[in-house]
Each structure stands twice: as structure tokens, then as C-alpha cells.
Amino acid sequence: MTSNDPLLQPYQLKHLTLKNRVMSTSHEPAYSEDGMPKQRYRLYHAEKAKGGMALTMTAGSAIVSRDSPAAFGNLHVYDDRIVPWLAELADACHEHDCKVMIQITHLGRRTGWNKADWLPVLSASPVREPAHRAFPKTIEDWDIERIVADYASAAQRCQAAGLDGIEFESYGHLMDGFWSPATNHRDDEFGGSLDNRLRFTNLVLDAVRASVGEKFVVGIRMVADEDFEKGLSKQEGIEIAGRLANSGKVDFLNIIRGSIESDAALTKVIPVAGMRSSPHLDFAGEVRAATKFPTFHAARISDVATARHAIATGKLDMVGMTRAHIADPHIIKKVMEGREHEIRPCVGATYCLDRIYEGGEALCVHNAATGREAEIPHIIVKTEGPKQKIVVIGAGAGGLEVARVAAERGHKVTVLEASSQAGGQIRLATQNPRRKELIGIIDWRLAELARLGVEIRYDTWAEKDDVLALSPDVVVVATGGLPQNPPLTAGDNLVTSSWDIMAGSVKPAENVLLYDDNGGHQGMGAAELIANAGSKLELVSPERFFAPEMGGMNHVPYMRAFQEKGVTITINTRLRSVRREGNQLVAELASDFADGWRGERRVDQVVVEHGTLPLDDLYLSLKPLSKNVGAVDYERLVSGGDIFPKRNPEGGFVLFRIGDAVASRNIHAAIYDGIRFGLRI
Ligand SMILES: Cc1cc2nc3c(=O)[nH]c(=O)nc-3n(C[C@H](O)[C@H](O)[C@H](O)COP(=O)(O)O)c2cc1C
Ligand code: SF4
């Protein structure tokens, strides 16, 4: 039966038939090895292909030249060795009728000089990019010649690998650096008039067309409005889009609005949790209307309804749902099978993107299978072993995940939760209204557990005997932790925990000092609530910059709130003690750097964040009664085999603990524990 769902209609792009309207736009997950897209990279894209997507734009900013060193694991498309790897990747996606293209670029000033071959970074003019901090040299004639040739040979490699097309990255990189008045101060034939500013682009287009011919699909992901005073204006941007559309040299436009030269600007291009959904969709629609040319676009179109709207209203030809597919690579399959409600939502946490800028690989905050396809399946199959009775204590993220996975495997699962609601620390985090979407992590799991027939007993404080009464085969302790104070020489009983502030059990006082040496969202969330409540706040951190466990994009909304509310930020400073004086508290401060240095602050409230201590009483009481005495074989957890050593012949059940019940960590760690242990039951 053919569907009339606008999202599922095919789209003809030149000779290519894209089977529906949904794509993943280019993004570098930093899964490359030696700059090559090997097994991990391939499996990651193949999973999206299996999930029904029509087009995957691989790589993020695959680099065409040596003097564009990888900034975040970018593929080396300047190297012939990439051809067979790309070919394998293309074959793996083509098997599922998913078209495969790649984004290629010269990063220009958006990288560092102190990497790879230590070649100088270059740009149209020597204007430094705040995010990467390299001072670029002005590109010279001989640079232009070789880079244009590099684009052409890179495109040829992509064609030789059997890819369906390429796109140029032209926002924040070398190519659009020529377009923007903010970064092009030249007075030669590459500066000044729009014709001149487009000269480099046209040289590249001509050289690429000469190398790949007319038939190969060549598109451009381009900024059409830099949206800041000195940047490329909307008027000029749309003019460029029109000229490119009419040039006969490109086959699609993939529209970007905004600048990416700083983290703060980048969040407007790639909005994070708490920011608007699809902020630039109307703009992309304007470009499509003005150019009447195939138009693609992505920017926080995370749900199927918005994506459908984008296509149905003719704003886009292809809609990018990029992070949405990092969270759930099977979106289209679920839509086609009438299981839209089972789609795991992208909650905008932007853990994925923040990790790559911190030198890690992209991981989804609540889908631990993404990027780990070789070890962890996205679709969990039933166990071939015996069906077991599993008791999970704790309905936080980790507990719900292990319950979900175990139930998918066919086991009978009961969850015991002490409070009246599921969610644990995530529910606490969502007390910051800006981060309320995180509750999707819990709600999706609760819906899955309901579908799988898992019983959750709320308001049940489980003691040893309550667990034993259920005669479990496996007991999972996912009880989380409780907040602990930082080491203080005095005043432990005078401080308030960030949890109390988040939960609303203690109101922010008028004049507050918040000390955070944990470095993640917990302290910052409390600080944002305190600042928004109108308190005078000083944030104190012992680190070189505050909240180092959080990436640059998540930093932005906190910093915005702190500056708007006049929060004082003090770094490189420890909280040593707290004492009461009259009806105020005196916080004594110390330094790791200058031994004798002391400072004092007189405030109404001292709030502290120092992570959690595991709530492990239940685990410790069950340990001697279990078959494995709580032990886990980590070697086998990583490489395969039975992970629960038999240490106690008298034991009645297997016991393990996950998430913060082991040690204070984060949401991804708890969920990763949940699935990797759950798969081994
Ligand atoms: C991990 C990650 C890496 C990215 N790298 C690139 C890149 O190299 N080039 C690019 O054009 N966009 C990159 N993006 C941006 C995405 O293509 C997309 O525009 C963005 O995620 C917004 O779309 P979404 O809300 O559907 O995720 C990246 C995104 C993510 C999450
Ligand atoms: S980490 Fe957050 S933003 Fe990234 S894919 Fe997962 S849910 Fe979406």
C-alpha cells in the first residue's frame, strides 16, 4: 500500500531517486581511525540505512588538503587510501537503498596549526576564529591553485568510491570565508564585489565539475545569512544561493543560517535543549521560494510532526533529522510500521556534539548503542537461554534501561522504586525549566516498559527481605546515590546541597555562594535556578574554568543566564570551611596555588555540589547471598562470555549494581551500564 505521508514520498534529485524525504546531514562523529571510515563508521551509517533513511550525508567536513588538519576526527579525503573504505561504507548503505554522499571541505581558519603536519592555518584574510584560536595566514595565489586542485581530486576519490554525490561545506570554513565581509578584507580579485568574493567558489566548482563530470551530484551546504552585524547579510546570502542555483554547477542547496565562529553563535545554528525547535525552517523555505531549487535543511527538526510539516508546506525538499537519528536510527522504519510512538526522542542534550569538541567521539546521552553497533544492537532480540525473574531496584535512567533491555530479551522484570515517580536525578535536573525536555529519557522508557508489560511498584522502599520475597534469579541495584559535601575542615552541617535547591526543598536565600567542584550540570543547574530566583550569587570553582565536565555548547545557556543575572564567577578557588556568624554564614576560601592564601565571603547560604555517594546498603546486604557475591568479570564484559563469576555455591541469585549506585557518574554511564549488563542476563 502506498502511503500519502509527505515524509515518505520519493524525491527525484537529478538521476537519483531518494526513497523518502528524510536525511541525516553531515556530521563528524569522530569515529574515524587514521582519518579513515572503518568498521565503526560503516556500521553507524549502515544502521541508519537499515532504519529507512533515504540519504545519509557522511563525514563531517572531510578534509581535502593537508593544511586543513582534522579538528574533530575529520576524514582524510585527500588520501587515496580512503577510496576502498568509502566504497565499503557506500555498499553497506546501498544494500538498504539508502543513498550515500559525503561533505568535503577545507576548514580554513576553523582548526589548529599545532596538529598533524603543523602547517599554517589559512583564510581569505588573517582574521582569527574565536573558537579554534588559530591566527590564519592570508591565503596566497599558490595556495588557491593547490587547494582548488585538492577539491577536484577529493571529489574524484568520492566518485571512484561509488558515492552518490558530494556537498561542499560552506559555512565557517575556507569557502565562505571569502563570501563574508567579516572575514574577507581583500582588495584583490578575490575581495570586494560579490563576483570577486565568489571567485574561489567558482574556481572550485569548475575544477570539481571538470573532474567528476556533469552527472555526479554536487551540492553545497551554505550559509545564506550569517545573522550578525559584520557578517554576510540575508540579502547577499540569498543572492549567492540564487547565483549558485542558476550556475548549472550545483544540484542542491543545503541551507544554514548563522555563524559558527564561537560556541555561543554555534548554538544558534545547532540549537541545544531549551532553545526553539526548527528556528531556521522558515528561512530555508524563503531560500527555496526565492531560488526554486532543491533545498535541504536541518536545525533542531527533532520530531516527525515538524519534519512532516517542513515537507508538506513546501519549505524543504529533504529534511535533515540528524541528532534525531543519533538518538534513534530507525525513525523511518517506525513511521512506516505505524510505530511512530516508539521513536526514541532526541532530547537536545547535545552530549553528542559537545563530546567531539572535547576530543571524544559522539555518543548519545540516552542511546548507548549509537556508535557501538559492533557490540550493542539497536534492536534487542529475545534470549535463547532460560527466561529469568529479574528484580530492578530503582527507576532512574539506568534502572529503567536495564529493565527495558531485560524485558526485550524476554525476561520477567519487576522494578521497585522508593519514590512516587520514576526518573531519579533526571527528574531533578528537569526542575530547571530550560532542561525539562530531558524527561523524554524517562518517559520513553516508561512507555517502552508499559508496552513490554514490566511492572513498576512505586513508593516501595526495598529492603533485603522485600527483594528475597520476590525469589529473583537476578537482582539489579540501581538505587543511585545521595549528594555528598566536598571535603571541608568545618561547617558540614551548615551547607545546603544543590539537590535541595533543585528539588525546591530549600529556597535560594538572598545572598548565595555556590561551590561546585563536581563540574557538571548538577551544580550549574542549581546555580541557574538560584540566579533566576533573583538571588545575588557567587559561583566558586577550584578549576581553571567552571563546569569542566560540560562541553562548550551546554556551557552557553548557563553562561548567558549568569551574565544576564550578574552572577560573579570565581575560579581557581576552593571552599575550605563554613562557619556561622550572627544570622549569616562565612565561607572561608583557599587556593591550590598559593598555600597561605585565604579569602572570606559573608553570605546567607552556601550551596555545594560534590557529586554523590552510592546508596549501596541494599547492595551490600544482598552481596553475601548472591551467586557472584556482586562480582563482575570486566574483561568478559568488554570482550564476551559469562560476566558473573560463580563465587558462592550457596547463592540464590546473580547480583550487580549499575549507574551512580556504583559511583557518581552521568546519564550516559548509567544507561550504558543498563544496556550492556541487560544484554548479558
Ligand atoms: C556530532 C556532530 C558533528 C557535526 N559535524 C558537522 C560537520 O562536520 N559539518 C556540518 O555541516 N555539520 C555538522 N554537524 C551539524 C549537523 O549536520 C546538523 O546541522 C545539526 O546537528 C542540526 O541538525 P539536527 O538538529 O537535526 O541535529 C554536526 C552535528 C553533530 C551532532
Ligand atoms: S545526545 Fe542529546 S542531542 Fe545528541 S542525539 Fe542524543 S538526545 Fe539528541
Side-chain angles (χ1 to χ4, degrees):
M1 196 180 72
T2 51
S3 163
N4 57 9
D5 185 338
L7 275 187
L8 300 182
Q9 304 312 306
Y11 181 65
Q12 197 64 33
L13 179 67
K14 221 168 178 172
H15 57 279
L16 287 183
T17 305
L18 302 173
K19 66 182 172 184
N20 57 54
R21 301 305 188 95
V22 178
M23 68 180 291
S24 168
T25 56
S26 165
H27 59 287
E28 180 47 64
Y31 299 157
S32 56
E33 294 158 66
D34 315 319
M36 299 294 135
K38 299 187 181 175
Q39 186 202 38
R40 186 178 189 191
Y41 219 105
R42 180 171 66 250
L43 294 179
Y44 169 66
H45 282 284
E47 195 69 43
K48 295 175 204 273
K50 260 189 246 169
M53 172 189 280
L55 167 64
T56 186
M57 185 69 69
T58 62
S61 318
I63 49 184
V64 300
S65 305
R66 272 193 174 279
D67 64 341
S68 168
F72 39 83
N74 315 61
L75 295 181
H76 296 177
V77 75
Y78 65 78
D79 185 338
D80 285 341
R81 288 181 309 142
I82 202 166
V83 175
W85 292 113
L86 284 178
E88 253 191 272
L89 192 162
D91 288 349
C93 294
H94 286 157
E95 237 178 72
H96 305 281
D97 191 22
C98 174
K99 303 292 188 257
V100 186
M101 299 190 195
I102 188 170
Q103 180 184 75
I104 66 171
T105 197
H106 191 295
L107 290 161
R109 63 186 191 136
R110 193 171 169 74
T111 185
W113 48 266
N114 53 355
K115 299 168 192 261
D117 303 308
W118 283 60
L119 296 170
V121 161
L122 48 71
S123 181
S125 298
V127 182
R128 188 194 207 196
E129 194 220 43
H132 291 78
R133 298 193 297 274
F135 291 100
K137 80 156 194 165
T138 302
I139 192 169
E140 297 176 61
D141 48 1
W142 55 271
D143 292 315
I144 291 177
E145 275 166 34
R146 74 181 163 78
I147 292 171
V148 166
D150 285 348
Y151 266 103
S153 51
Q156 233 167 15
R157 284 180 200 104
C158 302
Q159 190 180 37
L163 299 187
D164 299 292
I166 58 170
E167 76 172 10
F168 302 124
E169 204 284 10
S170 195
Y171 64 107
H173 289 192
L174 180 62
M175 187 175 275
D176 61 296
F178 282 94
W179 302 355
S180 173
T183 47
N184 185 342
H185 302 159
R186 302 174 71 103
D187 53 13
D188 62 0
E189 72 273 25
F190 290 94
S193 69
L194 201 51
D195 280 343
N196 281 355
R197 284 182 276 144
L198 282 171
R199 194 173 305 282
F200 176 76
T201 304
N202 283 320
L203 287 173
V204 171
L205 276 173
D206 288 340
V208 165
R209 276 296 173 207
S211 80
V212 298
E214 292 309 310
K215 286 203 176 131
F216 194 56
V217 172
V218 176
I220 183 164
R221 190 167 206 201
M222 59 165 285
V223 60
D225 174 9
E226 279 189 318
D227 195 25
F228 75 101
E229 216 181 10
K230 291 184 182 161
L232 186 76
S233 67
K234 174 175 170 178
Q235 189 204 355
E236 279 200 330
I238 294 182
E239 170 72 21
I240 293 173
R243 288 194 193 188
L244 289 170
N246 291 330
S247 70
K249 295 172 198 164
V250 299
D251 301 306
F252 65 86
L253 307 173
N254 187 351
I255 297 302
I256 293 286
R257 180 159 191 257
S259 155
I260 59 172
E261 71 165 22
S262 68
D263 287 342
L266 183 61
T267 60
K268 295 187 185 159
V269 176
I270 309 178
V272 303
M275 296 177 74
R276 266 180 63 198
S277 160
S278 57
H280 308 308
L281 177 57
D282 288 342
F283 174 70
E286 270 185 66
V287 177
R288 183 176 186 265
T291 58
K292 299 182 178 48
F293 204 65
T295 302
F296 304 175
H297 172 68
R300 201 146 201 250
I301 300 173
S302 343
D303 62 295
V304 170
T306 310
R308 196 172 275 133
H309 162 82
I311 299 296
T313 52
K315 292 183 199 296
L316 302 181
D317 295 291
M318 291 294 293
V319 56
M321 297 183 76
T322 305
R323 282 171 295 173
H325 278 84
I326 297 178
D328 189 339
H330 295 167
I331 292 176
I332 290 298
K333 191 165 185 293
K334 289 179 180 174
V335 170
M336 290 172 77
E337 293 172 358
R339 297 191 292 128
E340 217 168 294
H341 54 284
E342 288 177 33
I343 293 171
R344 185 187 316 227
C346 170
V347 297
T350 313
Y351 186 64
C352 48
L353 195 60
D354 265 346
R355 279 184 57 89
I356 68 164
Y357 290 124
E358 304 293 314
E361 79 283 51
L363 294 171
C364 175
V365 73
H366 80 126
N367 187 348
T370 296
R372 297 194 181 99
E373 282 78 9
E375 307 101 49
I376 299 192
H378 284 272
I379 296 176
I380 291 156
V381 294
K382 294 247 177 299
T383 176
E384 288 172 1
K387 305 276 191 289
Q388 308 199 71
K389 230 171 144 181
I390 320 285
V391 174
V392 179
I393 303 101
L400 294 178
E401 178 70 349
V402 76
R404 178 187 80 84
V405 174
E408 287 275 24
R409 308 246 309 135
H411 299 304
K412 179 169 178 351
V413 185
T414 307
V415 181
L416 309 179
E417 166 57 41
S419 86
S420 58
Q421 284 181 306
Q425 281 195 64
I426 290 185
R427 195 165 289 280
L428 206 58
T430 60
Q431 300 312 302
N432 178 347
R434 192 176 56 70
R435 300 191 79 222
K436 66 177 189 292
E437 282 167 83
L438 288 183
I439 207 64
I441 297 173
I442 300 304
D443 286 346
W444 179 75
R445 285 177 173 75
L446 289 177
E448 287 291 282
L449 293 195
R451 180 176 68 76
L452 294 162
V454 172
E455 183 193 358
I456 308 182
R457 297 186 193 168
Y458 292 104
D459 299 310
T460 303
W461 179 269
E463 304 279 3
K464 181 178 72 179
D465 290 341
D466 305 311
V467 174
L468 297 180
L470 295 170
S471 323
D473 299 306
V474 178
V475 177
V476 188
V477 176
T479 43
L482 284 178
Q484 59 177 331
N485 283 351
L488 298 177
T489 57
D492 270 310
N493 55 338
L494 297 176
V495 297
T496 301
S497 89
S498 65
W499 282 38
D500 288 335
I501 296 290
M502 291 302 286
S505 51
V506 177
K507 295 270 167 270
E510 208 176 312
N511 194 355
V512 185
L513 181 144
L514 185 145
Y515 178 69
D516 173 44
D517 65 357
N518 186 9
H521 284 280
Q522 299 88 335
M524 293 308 105
E528 193 173 345
L529 278 193
I530 294 167
N532 286 340
S535 306
K536 183 167 182 288
L537 175 65
E538 179 172 1
L539 176 61
V540 178
S541 162
E543 307 288 344
R544 285 191 293 159
F545 54 97
F546 72 84
E549 294 297 324
M550 186 187 303
M553 294 187 74
N554 271 289
H555 179 95
V556 172
Y558 289 116
M559 195 57 226
R560 182 177 303 129
F562 296 162
Q563 274 183 332
E564 284 174 359
K565 305 289 175 189
V567 173
T568 303
I569 295 168
T570 303
I571 54 169
N572 293 326
T573 303
R574 283 194 189 276
L575 177 64
R576 189 175 138 83
S577 70
V578 180
R579 66 177 190 275
R580 185 177 290 286
E581 270 188 24
N583 56 3
Q584 286 206 301
L585 299 175
V586 177
E588 187 195 12
L589 306 176
S591 159
D592 292 352
F593 311 95
D595 287 343
W597 181 88
R598 294 286 180 271
E600 277 195 353
R601 301 289 190 276
R602 188 173 295 272
V603 292
D604 304 315
Q605 192 176 46
V606 176
V607 178
V608 294
E609 168 54 46
H610 184 71
T612 54
L613 262 186
L615 204 54
D616 54 8
D617 290 352
L618 179 63
Y619 168 77
L620 295 174
S621 67
L622 289 168
K623 227 177 121 165
L625 307 174
S626 67
K627 290 179 182 170
N628 58 323
V629 203
V632 177
D633 185 329
Y634 284 161
E635 196 55 44
R636 288 182 167 178
L637 179 66
V638 174
S639 50
D642 181 3
I643 63 171
F644 303 112
K646 290 172 191 56
R647 295 184 154 208
N648 173 15
E650 313 289 305
F653 50 87
V654 162
L655 171 72
F656 61 93
R657 54 177 170 162
I658 59 171
D660 284 5
V662 181
S664 186
R665 289 175 288 163
N666 69 7
I667 301 172
H668 183 85
I671 284 177
Y672 187 23
D673 273 0
I675 191 165
R676 64 173 159 175
F677 280 89
L679 287 167
R680 310 300 280 279
I681 299 174

